């Protein structure tokens, strides 16, 4: 594996990383882990996501080959999304990252508390 020495603005891997590690993409891929899900069901799983943000996220994931969009001929027409094999290959690192957050949340909370206390002490003494 090459050693990272510089994050060039025009590096293709940087662009892809920005697209798969954004606010909603990791959560969308996780929601789709257990099989195809309709748009509104995905929206219900992701509290706080707007229709516009979810649509943009799904389009981006589809364009990158991580998600497949399928129109279901029904009345009214429905759309469901599922992971492609490429999308499924991203789940192990995402799950590892999620487990890291769970395992280290207490340390992160303690660091935040210490930081905030130091910032407050510096503000008061200034």
């Amino acid at each position: 594996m090459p050693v990272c020495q510089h994050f060039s603005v025009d590096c293709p891997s940087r662009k892809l990383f920005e697209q798969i590690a954004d606010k909603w993409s990791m959560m969308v891929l996780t929601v789709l882990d257990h099989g195809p899900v309709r748009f509104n069901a995905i929206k219900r799983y992701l509290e706080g996501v707007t229709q516009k943000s979810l649509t943009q996220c799904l389009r981006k994931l589809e364009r990158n080959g991580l998600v497949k969009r399928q129109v279901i001929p029904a009345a009214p027409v429905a759309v469901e999304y599922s992971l492609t094999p490429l999308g499924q290959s991203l789940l192990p690192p995402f799950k590892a990252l999620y487990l890291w957050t769970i395992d280290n949340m207490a340390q992160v909370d303690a660091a935040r508390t210490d930081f905030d206390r130091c910032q407050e002490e510096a503000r008061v003494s200034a």
Side-chain angles (χ1 to χ4, degrees):
M1 173 183 273
V3 176
C4 175
Q5 303 210 0
H6 181 72
F7 287 103
S8 172
V9 170
D10 57 353
C11 178
S13 64
R14 178 175 165 171
K15 260 190 178 351
L16 180 58
F17 184 75
E18 289 171 357
Q19 292 180 354
I20 62 174
D22 73 354
K23 183 174 182 176
W24 298 111
S25 293
M26 292 176 74
M27 289 182 263
V28 167
L29 293 173
T30 302
V31 166
L32 297 177
D33 184 19
H34 300 291
V37 182
R38 291 186 179 193
F39 181 91
N40 285 329
I42 297 171
K43 192 170 182 311
R44 283 191 296 274
Y45 280 111
L46 302 179
E47 188 174 313
V49 69
T50 64
Q51 184 155 339
K52 179 181 177 182
S53 292
L54 182 55
T55 298
Q56 290 172 339
C57 177
L58 286 164
R59 283 184 185 155
K60 181 175 48 181
L61 292 171
E62 183 181 11
R63 181 171 184 262
N64 285 313
L66 304 173
V67 167
K68 179 183 172 195
R69 178 182 184 268
Q70 182 170 350
V71 177
I72 302 168
V77 173
V79 177
E80 70 178 12
Y81 296 87
S82 59
L83 291 176
T84 64
L86 186 60
Q88 289 172 338
S89 73
L90 259 179
L91 291 177
F94 281 178
K95 288 178 181 179
L97 180 58
Y98 176 69
L99 288 174
W100 181 91
T101 64
I102 298 301
D103 292 345
N104 292 286
M105 200 67 228
Q107 287 179 269
V108 171
D109 282 340
R112 289 174 177 169
T113 299
D114 289 346
F115 180 87
D116 293 345
R117 182 181 36 76
C118 290
Q119 292 296 305
E120 181 61 25
E121 288 172 1
R123 188 186 64 78
V124 169
S125 65

